[in-house]
Amino acid sequence: MVVTVMTVCLRRLAHNRVELVLAFVVPIAFFSIFAVIFGSGVGTGLTPNIKVVGVDTVGDEQSRQILRVLRETPGLSFVDTAESDDQTEPEKGSTPRQKGSTPRPTPAPDETEKDLRAVEVQSASTSGNALTEQGDSRKADKQAGTSRRQAMELVRRGTATLAIVLRRQDDGMLMADLLSDSSDQVAPQVVSALVQQVLAGIPETSYRVPPRYAKTVSGPIGMPERGMSEPELPGTPSDAAGPPLPLKRVEIVDLLGKGKSNPVVTMYAAGIAVMFLLFGATSGGGTLLEERDNQMLDRLLTTGLSMDQLLIGKWAYLTILGICQTTLMFAWGQLVFGVDLLGHFDGFLIITVVTAGAAAAFGLLLATLCRTRGQLNGLSVVVVLSMSALGGSMVPRYLMSPGLREAGLWTFNAWALEGYDKVFWRELPVSELWPQMSVLMVCGAVFLVTARGLAIRWETD
Amino acid sequence: METDKFAPPSRPLRVESLRKSYRRVEAIRDVSFGLAAGERLALLGPNGAGKTTLIRCIAGRTKPDAGTIELLGKRLPPSGERDRLGWVPQDIAIYSDLTTRENLTAFARFHGLRGAELNDRVGWALRWTGLEDRSEQLVGGFSGGMKRRVNLACGVMHAPHVLLLDEPTVGVDPQSRQRIFEMLDQLRDSGTSILLTTHHLDEAEQCCDRIVIIDHGQLIADGTLEQLIARTIGPSRHVRLRIDRPLDRPLAPWQDGPLHGSLGVQNPPGGQDCLQTRVDDVAGQLPGLLETVRTAGYGVLNVEVHAPSLHDVFLHLTGQELRD
């Protein structure tokens, strides 16, 4: 009897192609996807290049040398601020917001910053190819005005993962402030180690404490007020005039996580929400196939209902359901985990509406691609999980190689997550959401129109 | 076969020279018939004969290759413009996770009803189906018969002039079947013309005014039961005799006046104790038959006389072969 039961199960499996695919092909497909993600990023010792922007507020030979060496360090990719000037230059009403959603007025550049010289901001290819000397100098000239504030803006907008700001403290200590986006939990540690390495290799002998600092260097060096501080690096005291300055210090400043009650949850809430929007939409789209199987679709189409109305009705329902689900999830996040939903509700609502709309259209598209519910189940598992993996719902995209990050942009998960990231993490105003909104709306429209085209075959035999 | 090609203006549905092929298979071949006002027409045929394709063409779910379909005198396009037509599919195509009232309301809305008209119609449908006391219960928990009634009601919420029913009583018990036909009687009384397919020949025989039989996509019979019997097997009765012992030799041919040569006792193979024949005049011919058997030395234990039925006509026209 037991053998008969086993035989029947095996024969049923052999007759069901979808189950066969789910049983044997899907695990291999997923293994391959994750192998590509992790194989070219984390776990290989080959950390993906980190996009940084360098700001030299000191402007002496030592600081220039530090940035020069950093620029040639493998693993760092310097952002070309000349190309992102339009992004860094704050527009009226488009500055980052404080919690509470009121746009923060653009502060006038203060006089101190005007004096700061930002010399070393330069793009470098991932292979570390140096620009020509001429081009180098041209870029340096263009970027001479880059300030700490502009660097902060670049990090806040996600153009750069991290800003390396070299400054001299009142006590004469050379500080390397790493203005970081702590949503990337790897980059600050990696850059910190690289900067330390470079600082350790720069001789101290060339620098002496200016007389105005002489009084301040005698006391012990305290820990930074916030952020993480690296141990002091040994330096070689100089025997030249004035007391030598043996100390250089690296400090990681969390630019975006500061003040957020539970920043990590905010990041993951969006990832989970988008993945479940997709699963919910494909499941909802599957009702079309059920209705086709039990003649409900035939019956509905003999009434006054047209296929256009049917699809739009289902799309609207799935969209509203998705909005409610996501809102409920974030509301729960606010109640239990401290996600600041109410403080960002306008941006949340906008990005949730377009994401839910695109997900609903995608669910209908998958349903109209399939013939049976079984096919849809198999296809949706493969597609949704792949999109979620590539798009950053499962694995943060900063862990992926540049190639995979680009591939991820073909999934709308990535765009939706970027939208939520802008709203909750970077606290950018609603007007900054237009790229994500545009992509998601276009995706939704294309999916819906394609689904309608595929559904033509169901209209009449 | 004689087909009524003439469809008077009072016929709300008229099908003319309809054809439909699926690749090399001709599912419908030049089918023509009409449906009179208030008439109940049974569309019969073996499995795969083309009944469902024909119904789907009329309902606008299948696009015919050629031919015309007229509804209330207006030629129909391949799909759409069927407001006065109702279609109840063979499957129970209702929302099992909605209540009876919600299902009826939804389909009434799909058919364009709104406001007071919608409420009136839903109330009528609940009374018509006998499900007023179950109006707020989910349909998923209903018996097969109750689901069939809701299924039927959802197809007539817009009070169609012509109703297409694809096997409306499949899988239900005799009581539910009886109830469904009572419901159809009420529709017919209100002037609705009904075209139904069924494999229950007794249903077609007892509850339908006219019968159309199609086979291999062709219409092979169209008329009342009496007309079909007259055109096919004739009005003779089927007589079956049971004798007291198995035959040990063939009986002499039975000859009786006007039936001479036309019918005779069908001698069963040796060893069997049943004899069958057909008689046109039971009272006049049966005594002679019994006498023939008795003269041959056999006693008659039982006599069964059957009037010709639709079953006989159907098998006569479509043969005994299995259609799989």
Side-chain angles (χ1 to χ4, degrees), chain A residues 291 293-305 458-461, chain B residues 56 60-63 87 89-91 93-95 107 110-111 151 154-155:
Chain A
E291 287 172 356
D293 280 349
N294 67 9
Q295 290 195 305
M296 177 67 93
L297 186 61
D298 279 326
R299 180 171 206 169
L300 291 176
L301 294 176
T302 59
T303 67
L305 186 71
W458 292 341
E459 287 188 274
T460 50
D461 296 340
Chain B
R56 287 178 64 85
R61 300 301 306 130
T62 295
K63 187 178 176 182
W87 176 51
Q90 181 179 338
D91 289 342
I94 49 179
Y95 296 106
F107 278 94
F110 287 142
H111 281 294
N151 197 38
C154 287

Side-chain angles (χ1 to χ4, degrees), chain B:
Chain B
M1 199 227 44
E2 191 179 317
T3 305
D4 183 8
K5 295 277 184 183
F6 174 71
S10 63
R11 294 200 162 185
L13 179 70
R14 184 174 163 177
V15 174
E16 194 69 39
S17 306
L18 206 68
R19 288 180 176 274
K20 174 66 184 176
S21 297
Y22 294 102
R23 295 183 182 152
R24 306 175 91 178
V25 179
E26 282 189 288
I28 302 287
R29 292 193 280 179
D30 198 27
V31 169
S32 302
F33 67 94
L35 180 63
E39 184 181 36
R40 199 149 68 189
L41 173 65
L43 178 62
L44 309 179
N47 291 330
K51 302 184 298 293
T52 298
T53 303
L54 181 56
I55 290 271
R56 287 178 64 85
C57 284
I58 298 169
R61 300 301 306 130
T62 295
K63 187 178 176 182
D65 298 331
T68 59
I69 301 167
E70 285 182 12
L71 183 66
L72 302 173
K74 185 183 172 189
R75 185 171 172 168
L76 291 177
S79 62
E81 296 186 25
R82 284 161 166 82
D83 297 343
R84 307 320 302 167
L85 189 76
W87 176 51
V88 180
Q90 181 179 338
D91 289 342
I92 295 177
I94 49 179
Y95 296 106
S96 59
D97 40 10
L98 294 186
T99 66
T100 312
R101 183 183 295 278
E102 287 167 341
N103 265 291
L104 296 172
T105 304
F107 278 94
R109 285 184 174 277
F110 287 142
H111 281 294
L113 273 60
R114 296 289 183 274
E117 188 187 11
L118 183 148
N119 293 332
D120 290 348
R121 199 63 188 166
V122 169
W124 168 84
L126 286 171
R127 290 190 298 278
W128 184 57
T129 54
L131 293 172
E132 280 176 294
D133 55 337
R134 314 291 287 267
S135 64
E136 304 306 327
Q137 291 181 15
L138 296 181
V139 169
F142 284 5
S143 69
M146 290 160 74
K147 286 179 185 171
R148 282 274 160 206
R149 275 140 62 192
V150 178
N151 197 38
L152 180 55
C154 287
V156 297
M157 292 306 292
H158 57 311
H161 281 74
V162 173
L163 179 61
L164 309 175
L165 299 168
D166 200 354
E167 302 202 32
T169 57
V170 68
V172 300
D173 60 25
Q175 288 84 356
S176 291
R177 191 184 302 177
Q178 179 64 33
R179 172 69 189 174
I180 286 170
F181 273 96
E182 285 171 10
M183 290 163 64
L184 294 182
D185 285 342
Q186 291 176 32
L187 283 184
R188 181 176 58 180
D189 294 345
S190 66
T192 306
S193 305
I194 299 171
L195 171 61
L196 67 89
T197 71
T198 181
H199 286 294
H200 294 290
L201 298 182
D202 56 325
E203 276 179 10
E205 189 174 328
Q206 293 161 21
C207 306
C208 293
D209 307 309
R210 198 156 61 93
I211 293 156
V212 164
I213 300 176
I214 62 171
D215 195 14
H216 300 296
Q218 283 184 304
L219 196 149
I220 56 173
D222 181 358
T224 62
L225 178 60
E226 292 71 25
Q227 288 171 330
L228 295 186
I229 288 172
R231 289 174 197 156
T232 54
I233 55 177
S236 59
R237 267 50 179 168
H238 180 242
V239 178
R240 191 174 180 192
L241 305 179
R242 186 159 182 195
I243 52 180
D244 58 354
R245 65 182 192 281
L247 287 173
D248 53 13
R249 64 182 189 283
L251 288 175
W254 175 51
Q255 297 174 358
D256 185 19
L259 292 176
H260 178 76
S262 62
L263 288 170
V265 173
Q266 297 162 2
N267 283 331
Q272 292 195 14
D273 56 1
C274 267
L275 308 174
Q276 296 179 66
T277 189
R278 287 189 172 278
V279 295
D280 288 339
D281 178 2
V282 175
Q285 295 175 276
L286 194 56
L289 174 62
L290 295 174
E291 181 61 23
T292 302
V293 174
R294 196 185 60 76
T295 304
Y298 296 95
V300 175
L301 299 179
N302 191 28
V303 178
E304 294 173 21
V305 179
H306 295 283
S309 66
L310 182 57
H311 181 84
D312 302 319
V313 173
F314 187 82
L315 289 181
H316 176 86
L317 288 169
T318 60
Q320 303 271 357
E321 285 179 17
L322 279 176
R323 304 294 180 82
D324 294 323

